[in-house]
Coordinates of all heavy atoms in Angstrom, one line a residue:
R84 N 64.8 213.4 171.4 CA 64.9 214.6 172.2 C 65.6 214.3 173.5 O 65.3 213.4 174.2 CB 63.6 215.2 172.5 CG 63.6 216.4 173.4 CD 62.3 217.1 173.6 NE 62.4 218.3 172.9 CZ 61.4 219.0 172.4 NH1 60.2 218.5 172.4 NH2 61.6 220.1 171.8
L85 N 66.7 215.2 173.8 CA 67.5 215.0 175.0 C 66.6 215.1 176.3 O 65.9 216.0 176.4 CB 68.6 216.0 175.1 CG 69.7 215.9 174.0 CD1 70.6 217.0 174.1 CD2 70.4 214.6 174.1
P86 N 66.6 214.1 177.2 CA 65.8 214.1 178.4 C 66.3 215.1 179.4 O 65.5 215.6 180.2 CB 65.9 212.7 178.9 CG 67.2 212.2 178.4 CD 67.4 212.9 177.1
I87 N 67.6 215.4 179.4 CA 68.2 216.4 180.4 C 69.1 217.3 179.6 O 69.5 216.9 178.5 CB 68.9 215.7 181.5 CG1 70.0 214.8 181.0 CG2 67.9 214.9 182.4 CD1 71.0 214.2 182.0
A88 N 69.5 218.4 180.2 CA 70.6 219.2 179.6 C 71.9 218.4 179.7 O 72.2 217.9 180.7 CB 70.7 220.5 180.4
P89 N 72.6 218.4 178.6 CA 73.9 217.6 178.6 C 75.1 218.3 179.2 O 76.2 218.1 178.7 CB 74.1 217.4 177.1 CG 73.5 218.6 176.4 CD 72.3 219.0 177.3
D90 N 74.9 219.2 180.2 CA 76.0 220.0 180.7 C 77.1 219.1 181.3 O 78.3 219.4 181.1 CB 75.4 220.9 181.8 CG 74.4 221.9 181.2 OD1 74.5 222.2 180.0 OD2 73.6 222.4 182.0
A91 N 76.7 218.1 182.0 CA 77.7 217.2 182.7 C 78.5 216.5 181.6 O 79.8 216.3 181.7 CB 77.1 216.2 183.6
V92 N 77.9 216.0 180.5 CA 78.6 215.3 179.4 C 79.5 216.3 178.7 O 80.6 215.9 178.3 CB 77.6 214.6 178.5 CG1 78.2 214.1 177.3 CG2 76.8 213.5 179.2
I93 N 79.0 217.5 178.5 CA 79.9 218.5 177.8 C 81.1 218.8 178.6 O 82.2 218.9 178.1 CB 79.0 219.8 177.5 CG1 78.0 219.5 176.4 CG2 79.9 220.9 177.1 CD1 77.0 220.6 176.2
A94 N 81.0 219.0 179.9 CA 82.1 219.2 180.8 C 83.1 218.0 180.8 O 84.3 218.2 180.7 CB 81.6 219.5 182.2
W95 N 82.5 216.8 180.8 CA 83.4 215.6 180.7 C 84.1 215.6 179.4 O 85.3 215.3 179.4 CB 82.4 214.4 180.9 CG 83.1 213.1 180.8 CD1 83.8 212.4 181.7 CD2 83.1 212.2 179.6 NE1 84.2 211.2 181.2 CE2 83.8 211.1 179.9 CE3 82.5 212.3 178.3 CZ2 84.0 210.0 179.1 CZ3 82.7 211.3 177.5 CH2 83.5 210.1 177.8
A96 N 83.5 215.9 178.3 CA 84.1 215.9 177.0 C 85.2 217.0 176.9 O 86.2 216.8 176.3 CB 83.1 216.1 175.9
R97 N 84.9 218.2 177.4 CA 85.9 219.2 177.4 C 87.2 218.8 178.2 O 88.3 219.1 177.7 CB 85.3 220.5 178.0 CG 84.5 221.3 177.1 CD 84.3 222.7 177.6 NE 83.5 223.4 176.6 CZ 82.4 224.0 176.8 NH1 81.9 224.1 178.0 NH2 81.7 224.7 175.8
A98 N 87.0 218.2 179.3 CA 88.1 217.8 180.1 C 88.9 216.7 179.3 O 90.2 216.7 179.3 CB 87.7 217.2 181.4
A99 N 88.2 215.8 178.6 CA 88.9 214.8 177.8 C 89.6 215.4 176.6 O 90.7 214.8 176.2 CB 87.9 213.7 177.4
A100 N 89.1 216.4 176.1 CA 89.6 217.0 174.8 C 91.0 217.7 175.0 O 91.6 218.0 174.1 CB 88.6 218.0 174.2
R101 N 91.4 217.8 176.3 CA 92.7 218.5 176.5 C 93.8 217.6 175.9 O 94.9 218.1 175.6 CB 92.9 218.7 178.0 CG 92.0 219.8 178.5 CD 92.3 220.1 180.0 NE 91.2 220.8 180.6 CZ 90.6 220.4 181.7 NH1 91.0 219.4 182.3 NH2 89.6 221.1 182.1
D102 N 93.6 216.3 175.9 CA 94.6 215.4 175.4 C 94.4 215.2 173.9 O 93.3 214.7 173.5 CB 94.5 214.0 176.1 CG 95.7 213.1 175.8 OD1 96.4 213.3 174.8 OD2 95.8 212.1 176.5
P103 N 95.3 215.5 173.0 CA 95.0 215.4 171.6 C 94.9 214.0 171.1 O 94.5 213.8 169.9 CB 96.2 216.2 170.9 CG 97.3 216.1 172.0 CD 96.6 216.1 173.3
R104 N 95.3 213.0 171.9 CA 95.2 211.6 171.5 C 93.9 211.0 171.7 O 93.7 209.8 171.4 CB 96.3 210.8 172.2 CG 97.7 211.3 171.9 CD 98.7 210.7 172.9 NE 98.4 211.1 174.2 CZ 99.0 210.6 175.3 NH1 99.9 209.7 175.2 NH2 98.6 211.0 176.5
I105 N 93.0 211.7 172.3 CA 91.7 211.2 172.7 C 90.6 211.6 171.7 O 90.6 212.7 171.2 CB 91.3 211.8 174.1 CG1 92.3 211.3 175.2 CG2 89.9 211.4 174.5 CD1 92.3 209.8 175.4
A106 N 89.7 210.6 171.5 CA 88.5 210.9 170.6 C 87.3 210.4 171.4 O 87.5 209.6 172.4 CB 88.6 210.2 169.3
I107 N 86.1 210.7 171.0 CA 84.9 210.3 171.7 C 84.0 209.5 170.6 O 83.8 210.1 169.5 CB 84.2 211.4 172.3 CG1 85.0 212.0 173.5 CG2 82.8 211.0 172.8 CD1 84.3 213.1 174.3
R108 N 83.5 208.4 171.0 CA 82.6 207.6 170.2 C 81.2 207.8 170.9 O 81.0 207.4 172.0 CB 83.0 206.1 170.1 CG 82.0 205.3 169.3 CD 82.4 203.9 169.2 NE 83.7 203.7 168.7 CZ 84.6 202.9 169.3 NH1 84.4 202.3 170.4 NH2 85.8 202.8 168.7
V109 N 80.3 208.3 170.2 CA 78.9 208.5 170.7 C 78.1 207.4 170.1 O 77.9 207.3 168.9 CB 78.4 209.9 170.2 CG1 77.0 210.1 170.8 CG2 79.3 211.0 170.7
T110 N 77.5 206.6 170.9 CA 76.7 205.5 170.5 C 75.3 205.6 171.0 O 75.0 205.7 172.2 CB 77.3 204.1 171.0 OG1 78.6 204.0 170.7 CG2 76.5 202.9 170.5
G111 N 74.3 205.7 170.0 CA 72.9 205.8 170.3 C 72.4 204.4 170.7 O 72.8 203.4 170.0
L112 N 71.5 204.3 171.6 CA 71.0 203.1 172.1 C 69.4 203.1 172.0 O 68.8 204.0 172.4 CB 71.3 202.8 173.5 CG 72.8 202.9 173.9 CD1 73.0 202.9 175.4 CD2 73.6 201.8 173.2
A113 N 68.9 202.0 171.4 CA 67.5 201.8 171.4 C 67.2 200.5 172.2 O 68.0 199.5 172.1 CB 66.9 201.7 170.0
D114 N 66.1 200.4 172.9 CA 65.9 199.2 173.8 C 65.4 198.0 173.0 O 65.2 197.0 173.6 CB 65.0 199.6 175.0 CG 63.6 199.9 174.6 OD1 63.2 199.8 173.4 OD2 62.9 200.3 175.5
G115 N 65.0 198.1 171.8 CA 64.6 196.9 171.0 C 63.1 196.6 171.1 O 62.6 195.7 170.6
S116 N 62.4 197.5 171.9 CA 60.9 197.2 172.0 C 60.2 197.8 170.8 O 60.7 198.6 170.0 CB 60.4 197.9 173.3 OG 60.5 199.3 173.2
A117 N 58.9 197.4 170.6 CA 58.1 197.9 169.5 C 57.8 199.4 169.6 O 57.6 200.0 168.6 CB 56.8 197.1 169.4
Q118 N 57.8 199.9 170.8 CA 57.5 201.4 171.0 C 58.8 202.2 170.7 O 58.6 203.4 170.4 CB 57.0 201.6 172.4 CG 55.8 201.0 172.8 CD 56.0 199.5 173.2 OE1 57.1 199.1 173.6 NE2 54.9 198.7 173.2
D119 N 60.0 201.7 170.9 CA 61.2 202.5 170.7 C 61.8 202.4 169.3 O 62.8 201.8 169.1 CB 62.2 202.0 171.8 CG 63.3 203.1 172.0 OD1 63.0 204.3 171.9 OD2 64.4 202.7 172.3
V120 N 61.0 203.0 168.4 CA 61.4 203.0 167.0 C 61.2 204.4 166.5 O 60.5 205.2 167.1 CB 60.6 202.0 166.1 CG1 61.0 200.6 166.5 CG2 59.2 202.3 166.2
D121 N 61.8 204.8 165.4 CA 61.7 206.1 164.7 C 60.2 206.2 164.3 O 59.7 205.2 163.6 CB 62.6 206.2 163.5 CG 62.5 207.5 162.8 OD1 62.7 208.5 163.5 OD2 62.1 207.5 161.6
P122 N 59.5 207.2 164.6 CA 58.1 207.3 164.3 C 57.8 207.4 162.8 O 56.7 206.9 162.3 CB 57.6 208.6 164.9 CG 58.8 209.3 165.4 CD 59.9 208.4 165.4
V123 N 58.7 207.8 162.0 CA 58.5 207.9 160.5 C 58.8 206.6 159.8 O 58.0 206.1 159.0 CB 59.3 209.1 159.9 CG1 59.1 209.2 158.4 CG2 58.8 210.4 160.6
S124 N 60.0 206.1 160.1 CA 60.5 204.9 159.3 C 60.2 203.6 160.1 O 60.2 202.6 159.4 CB 62.0 205.0 159.1 OG 62.7 205.0 160.3
G125 N 59.9 203.6 161.4 CA 59.7 202.4 162.1 C 61.0 201.7 162.4 O 61.0 200.5 162.8
S126 N 62.2 202.3 162.3 CA 63.5 201.7 162.4 C 64.0 202.1 163.8 O 64.2 203.2 164.1 CB 64.4 202.2 161.3 OG 65.7 201.8 161.6
A127 N 64.4 201.1 164.6 CA 65.1 201.3 165.9 C 66.5 201.8 165.6 O 67.0 202.6 166.4 CB 65.1 200.0 166.7
A128 N 67.2 201.3 164.6 CA 68.6 201.7 164.3 C 68.6 203.2 164.0 O 69.5 203.9 164.4 CB 69.2 200.9 163.2
L129 N 67.6 203.6 163.2 CA 67.6 205.1 162.8 C 67.3 205.9 164.1 O 68.0 207.0 164.2 CB 66.5 205.3 161.8 CG 66.5 206.7 161.2 CD1 67.8 207.0 160.5 CD2 65.4 206.7 160.1
L130 N 66.5 205.5 165.0 CA 66.2 206.2 166.2 C 67.5 206.3 167.0 O 67.8 207.3 167.6 CB 65.1 205.6 167.0 CG 64.8 206.2 168.3 CD1 64.3 207.7 168.1 CD2 63.8 205.4 169.1
A131 N 68.2 205.2 167.1 CA 69.5 205.2 167.9 C 70.5 206.1 167.3 O 71.2 206.9 168.0 CB 70.0 203.7 168.0
S132 N 70.5 206.2 166.0 CA 71.5 207.1 165.3 C 71.0 208.5 165.6 O 71.9 209.4 165.8 CB 71.5 206.8 163.8 OG 72.1 205.6 163.5
D133 N 69.7 208.8 165.6 CA 69.2 210.2 165.8 C 69.6 210.6 167.2 O 69.9 211.8 167.5 CB 67.7 210.3 165.6 CG 67.4 210.2 164.1 OD1 68.3 210.5 163.3 OD2 66.2 210.0 163.8
R134 N 69.5 209.7 168.2 CA 69.9 210.0 169.6 C 71.4 210.4 169.7 O 71.8 211.3 170.3 CB 69.5 208.9 170.5 CG 68.1 208.7 170.7 CD 67.7 207.5 171.5 NE 66.3 207.4 171.8 CZ 65.6 206.3 172.1 NH1 66.3 205.2 172.3 NH2 64.3 206.4 172.3
A135 N 72.2 209.6 169.0 CA 73.6 209.8 169.0 C 73.9 211.2 168.3 O 74.8 211.9 168.8 CB 74.4 208.7 168.3
R136 N 73.2 211.4 167.2 CA 73.4 212.7 166.5 C 73.0 213.9 167.4 O 73.7 214.9 167.3 CB 72.7 212.6 165.2 CG 73.0 213.8 164.3 CD 72.3 213.6 163.0 NE 70.9 213.4 163.3 CZ 69.9 213.7 162.5 NH1 70.1 214.2 161.4 NH2 68.6 213.4 162.9
A137 N 72.0 213.7 168.2 CA 71.5 214.8 169.0 C 72.6 215.2 170.1 O 72.9 216.4 170.3 CB 70.2 214.5 169.7
V138 N 73.2 214.2 170.7 CA 74.2 214.4 171.6 C 75.5 215.0 171.0 O 76.1 215.9 171.5 CB 74.5 213.1 172.4 CG1 75.7 213.3 173.3 CG2 73.3 212.7 173.3
A139 N 75.9 214.4 169.8 CA 77.0 214.9 169.1 C 76.8 216.4 168.7 O 77.7 217.2 168.7 CB 77.3 214.1 167.9

Side-chain angles (χ1 to χ4, degrees):
R84 172 175 251 156
L85 294 174
I87 59 170
D90 298 333
V92 170
I93 290 171
W95 178 80
R97 277 195 179 125
R101 291 186 196 126
D102 187 347
R104 301 169 297 173
I105 297 296
I107 292 183
R108 180 181 301 130
V109 182
T110 306
L112 307 170
D114 68 6
S116 68
Q118 298 82 18
D119 199 32
V120 295
D121 180 60
V123 176
S124 67
S126 169
L129 187 59
L130 178 63
S132 293
D133 286 343
R134 289 175 177 162
R136 191 177 49 154
V138 172

